Amino acid sequence: MGIKVVRRPKLSFTERIYLGPIVKGLRLTIGHFFGTLTDVVLRRKQHERKTATTMQYPEERWDFKDNFRGAPVLVSDQFDRMKCVACQICEFVCPPKAITIWPSEFDESADDVEKGVEKYPERFEIDMLRCIYCGYCEESCPEEAIFLLQEAELVGRTKEEFVFDREKLLAMGGVREDRALKWHNK
Amino acid sequence: MIWDVLGKLLHAFLVVGLVLPLMAALMVWAERRVSAFMQDRLGPNRVGPAGLLQPIADVLKFIFKEDVIPGHVNRVMYVLAPLMVFVPALIVFSVVPYARGMAIAPLNIGILLVFAVSSLGVYGITIGGWASNSKYSLYGGVRASAQMISYELALSLSVIPIFLVTGSMNLESVVAWQAQNVWLLLPLFPAFIIFLVSSYAETNRLPFDCPEAETELVAGYHTEYSSMKFAIFFMAEYINMITFSALVVTLFFGGYTLPFLELPAGLWGTVLSGCIFAAKVSFFLFLFLWVRWTLPRFRYDQLMDLGWKVMLPACLVLIVCTAGVRAFIWPG
């Protein structure tokens, strides 16, 4: 049965009339107030801010490293030609079988035939819900026609919306300059 | 005659019905943003520029929320309580001269009316707490009345030195006296401190928000309230803050005047005086927020100690001293 003596700290006069601590506290909060105000008024970026260090999501996003692998997409070359020649290597190498290609042959009269291209993907679909972002398609593509973007925020309401077709993939991929121009220099 | 009355009504409606609620809405926004800034956050910044339209979104939310009247409440009192808080809050502002020659009711007993009516507000809180028929609300209501008794006393007494000095209870002439001589803040600094602290208790703001005390009493007297009824309690608190900031400015900080500044005659002078008043009031509103987000809540017995053992005797000493000075050293 021990008696516990609660020690009451002796308060100084300023502490007893509350004023000293109150002023101290007010100084602290106003410092934070003006700190945040400066950050907001100067529109500082997340990494420059000392306050409000939370990322303001839609405006600010993660800086991904260069080797980050996001959504796979198709690209065109600088002459606005779809680079994919429907060889289907990506389809075969894809571990989760997310890629489906319906290859088709060019007509005799098409421009590309003269350059030596024979096939093109009539339909090209990637199921983004199946995709595991492994990057094998990009690695294996002999035409450098499929790339992984730094994009990781795909949004949809139904499963079907996540099956991206050829036009959508091309639009997302945009243009990538082709250095070899293997079909043009033939 | 009839136009006179109509003009007065319009004036009252514009100030009390339009400007005050708008300012209260703005205060809610300011409260959230200032608190956020003090806590290294950003606060609501999405609705409109800098989040300024957030209050409108809030009001819409309150309007469309279901208005629940719990089954266990005393219906009449329950419905009446928010209004009993809201109406006094609006009335009190009517005696404040917010610009040169502009007050809704320039009464000779101005400050008496303030104390008479603003103490009515606590009935609403107490009745709301009682009618809710829940232990948290009841605690909140009882605390509100006890707190009001202990602080209203100091509040009223701290103003008496002002009347000893200026010789008038008309707020307009208090302002005029200060414009002629000196802001009452300087000769009556202790009275200013007591008035300020008591007004925090009177408006139920931190560090004296014991009636609400969300960490102890859920939400205190408005625990059982929802939708617009809660919003009215909420608005009343902010309008009270505006009124008491206006009173502090009027009584101690020269109201709508500035020292060494001759207000130009005519409309521009009136507008300028209104702007000066608004700027001063804004500072004290900011102080309300600043203090709220700095200090913790007083424990209930500490609050009573401060009211009865410190502020009341201090007020009495101050009154006697001021009266002595007026009688013997500086008879006016």
Side-chain angles (χ1 to χ4, degrees), chain B residues 137-158:
Chain B
S137 302
L138 185 62
Y139 272 132
V142 169
R143 281 182 177 197
S145 51
Q147 178 175 320
M148 205 282 295
I149 291 167
S150 16
Y151 279 84
E152 184 85 355
L153 217 54
L155 189 74
S156 324
L157 289 178
S158 70

Side-chain angles (χ1 to χ4, degrees), chain B residues 275-295:
Chain B
C275 292
I276 292 170
F277 188 74
K280 286 180 185 173
V281 170
S282 315
F283 172 76
F284 279 96
L285 287 174
F286 181 78
L287 191 66
F288 264 105
L289 305 182
W290 186 6
V291 166
R292 168 164 186 193
W293 297 103
T294 303
L295 301 181

